[in-house]
Each structure stands twice: as C-alpha cells, then as structure tokens.
Amino acid sequence: MSKSPNQNPNPENMQTLKTPKATKIQTEKPGFLTIKDVSKVYDNLKNPEQPFVILDGVNLTINEGEFICLIGHSGCGKSTLLNMIAGFNGPTNGEVALEGARITEPGPDRMVVFQNYSLLPWLTATENIHLGVETVYGEKSAEEHNTIVQEHLELVGLTEACNKRPGQLSGGMKQRVAIARALATRPKLLILDEPFGALDPITREELQEELLKIWREYKITIVMITHDIDEALFLADRIVMMTNGPAASIGEDVHIPFSRPRNRTRIMEDPKYYELRNFALEFLFSRYAHHEEDQSTDSETAAVAVPLPLPASKQRAVADRAMPPVSFMPHAAEPPEASPIKGGILAVSWLVAMATLAAVNMSAVSSQLKQAKLGETAPQATAAVVSSPPSPAPIAASPAPIATSPAPIAASPAPIATS
C-alpha cells in the first residue's frame, strides 16, 4: 500500500521534534587574586569632615602563576594595598579575595618578605626557618621539619651559613633567609615589599636571578613592590603603575613581552625594553609627577624631577620614540628679583676675602724676613759664645741688647771673644 504524499516526513517538521540542545552559559572564571573596588580611608581627628583617602576604587585581577610588580611614587598606597592582600589590614570598601575566598586575616597561604628582613636576631638561620615550618606544619614530625628546612637552605645557597645568626650575615644573606622562610611553608602567594631595596647593585642582581629561578621551579604567584623600573622590567609579567596619593588608584597595567627565561644583557639590547622604560618614566615623572601641596604657589621656581641619562652602552639601543620633554630648573636657580642683591653680597664678600688674604700674605712675608735676618746672625753669635768659654755671663745677663741690635754684635765679634 503506497503512502500518500501527506504522510511523507517533512525534514523541517522533524527538526522541530528534536530535543533542543542545552545552552552552556559561559561563566568567566574568577582570577586567582581579585581586588574589586577597594578603597582605604582613615579618620581625620583634626577635621572629621575631611578624612584621609589613601586608596580609591582600586580594581586588579592577578592570574595564578603571574609575577606582578607594583610601582609608583612614595605615599601612593602600594604598601597599604599589599597589607590588605596579606590580611594585616582590611579595606574600608570593596573586597580582596584569593581563589574566590575573601581575605580577612593573615594566613599561611600568603607569605610576606619585608625590606628589613624581619628575622629574630637571637635565632640562627636554621632556627628562623624552623619557626615558620613548625608553626604551619605542626602535625609533621621533627625529622620532616628538618628535611624541609635543609631543602630550602640549599635552595637559597645558605647550607654553610645555617648556624649563623642574623648579626653574622650580610644583607643579601639575610634576605635569602627571609625568602627561604617564606617559601618553606609552600604558600600560594608570595608578597614582596621592596625586598632588594637595601642591597648593593651586585647583590641585588644576584638575588633577582635567584628569585626568578625559585619562581620558575615553584610556579608560585608573586606580587612585588619596587621603585626600580629596570628591576620590574626584568622580573615581571606585568607592571601595575599606581597614581599619586591621596585617593590613589591603578593608572596603567602594562604587559611585558619578553620571553622566559630572560637574559639580562639580551633584553637590555632590545629597543622594546627602552620603549617600555621610557613609557614608565613618562608616567612617573610627567603624567603623575610627585608635587607637594606647598609647592603649588611657586610653580615658576619649582623643580621637576628628571630621569637620569642612560649609560653610553645602552644609548645605542634606545627606541626611536624619545621621552617627552619636561621642564627643568636647576636647584640653585633663584628668582630674577633676588639676583642684584645676591650679586652685591657676593661682591662685598669677595673684596673682604681678598683684603684678608692680602693682609695674611703680608704678615707671612714680614715674618719670613725677620726669621731670615735672625738666621743670618744666629750662627755667628753661637760661634762667639763657643770661642769664649771663660766669660758666658755677660751674654746671658744681657740678652735684650743682642735681640734688639743684632747688627753691632755681628759686626764686632772680636771684642766679645777677647773679653
């Protein structure tokens, strides 16, 4: 029996009979560390209507395993922000969260390395690291504690100095102990507050290399404060630049394009390096130059900070885009109206100095002439005295005539000798 045309299946109708596919809602995965609408305000006891606003509307997302450097002028709230990430202080408004959990207090998942090392001076390097390990891993045995400590001492190259106290260690070695103590607890986030600021340039570069090696091995997330732009360009995946306080916020978030592992010499020969460096300098010294409030009235004489010139070995690799011009006036510059007075004072001071110098020279010349005359007569007088041992009394009894009139004595030595 043949089927009628009306009974043939319609493809369009068949599609409508299919069960619709479930639509997947793409939810954005939250960042490893999120800072959302964070503000920090302190009360002003002198004027409660005008509180101190340190941070205002800071938003930042940091992915797991990233190396982030924060730069900005002193007083822009960098350390305040790090203290909130560490849990030492809470935001007035907004939220700081690690892996979706709001940060309300310090914890072993976030370890801080300070600029001043923060080591206990009466404990050795081994004991300082033990203290952190025992606090975090109280359930582990003493043998396991010793193993962890020895591994991290070896990691930072301090096996031979393990029994020395902080007073017996150099600055670089103290900072190595502080880094080893922080890493020994296996934190999820390492917070560095200008860790190399007090070190000499050679030690600083050595520890930078050491830090990058540790970061690659542990795959740890690092947030670091620094004032050194070259250090930030060498270490970081991103440089986060903060505006000036009060009411500071995030001004720029710059991605660093250099591949890893990084070679310091190679990246410093890359024109992109100096393009990024000039951009950071322009941000700090032009767009957000640090000015005090009391200098606003003296805008004509206020000096603007200017970055130091690049070394000759680096100038050949500078990018074509030069730094924007900035106005500069030497520190010794004076207003035009003060120059005549200053010139008169300098002229008078110069004349007085010249007159004094001339008087001193004349006195010195006169003194030398007198000494020369006395030097001519002294040998003869001495010879006369030696040649007449029987009668030394007259010469000793009358020294004044000899001193006042040396010429007669010098002219007639024979009478003195015969008497």
Side-chain angles (χ1 to χ4, degrees), residues 401-402 404-413 416:
I402 298 174
T404 54
S405 58
I409 298 175
S412 56
I416 298 176

Side-chain angles (χ1 to χ4, degrees), residues 67 69 172 175-176 179 192 194-197 199-216 222 224-236 260 262 264 267-268 273:
F67 198 129
C69 280
Q175 200 59 283
R176 289 173 189 265
I179 293 174
L192 308 175
E194 296 187 64
F196 310 138
L199 304 178
D200 61 273
I202 296 177
T203 305
R204 175 183 297 186
E205 290 189 3
E206 291 177 352
L207 285 186
Q208 288 171 2
E209 300 281 358
E210 195 78 25
L211 180 61
L212 283 181
K213 184 179 71 174
I214 294 171
W215 174 72
R216 288 193 302 268
I222 296 180
M224 174 179 171
I225 288 179
T226 180
H227 284 100
D228 190 336
I229 295 175
D230 294 311
E231 180 176 72
L233 288 170
F234 178 64
L235 295 175
R260 297 185 185 274
R262 291 177 181 172
R264 192 186 301 271
I267 68 172
M268 293 183 73
Y273 180 89

Side-chain angles (χ1 to χ4, degrees), residues 6-76:
N6 294 334
Q7 293 178 347
N8 290 333
N10 188 345
E12 296 180 359
N13 294 335
M14 292 297 291
Q15 290 179 1
T16 58
L17 293 175
K18 290 182 179 179
T19 304
K21 295 181 179 180
T23 303
K24 293 183 179 180
I25 301 175
Q26 298 294 334
T27 57
E28 184 179 354
K29 183 181 178 180
F32 178 74
L33 176 67
T34 56
I35 302 170
K36 185 177 180 180
D37 298 328
V38 165
S39 299
K40 186 63 181 178
V41 182
Y42 290 101
D43 295 332
N44 186 350
L45 299 179
K46 295 182 178 180
N47 189 356
E49 296 181 356
Q50 295 182 354
F52 298 110
V53 182
I54 307 301
L55 298 173
D56 185 20
V58 176
N59 290 278
L60 182 64
T61 300
I62 298 174
N63 299 320
E64 187 174 6
E66 274 192 307
F67 198 129
I68 303 297
C69 280
L70 286 174
I71 65 173
H73 288 287
S74 298
C76 71

Side-chain angles (χ1 to χ4, degrees), residues 304-374:
V304 179
V306 175
L308 295 176
L310 300 178
S313 60
K314 301 178 183 178
Q315 290 179 356
R316 63 179 183 273
V318 177
D320 295 335
R321 192 187 74 171
M323 288 186 59
V326 291
S327 58
F328 176 78
M329 180 173 290
H331 180 70
E334 296 289 344
E337 59 270 16
S339 56
I341 299 175
K342 184 175 180 179
I345 295 174
L346 290 175
V348 173
S349 301
W350 182 82
L351 290 175
V352 172
M354 292 298 101
T356 305
L357 182 61
V360 171
N361 289 338
M362 292 298 295
S363 176
V365 171
S366 176
S367 176
Q368 290 177 357
L369 292 175
K370 290 181 179 180
Q371 290 178 359
K373 291 181 179 180
L374 290 175

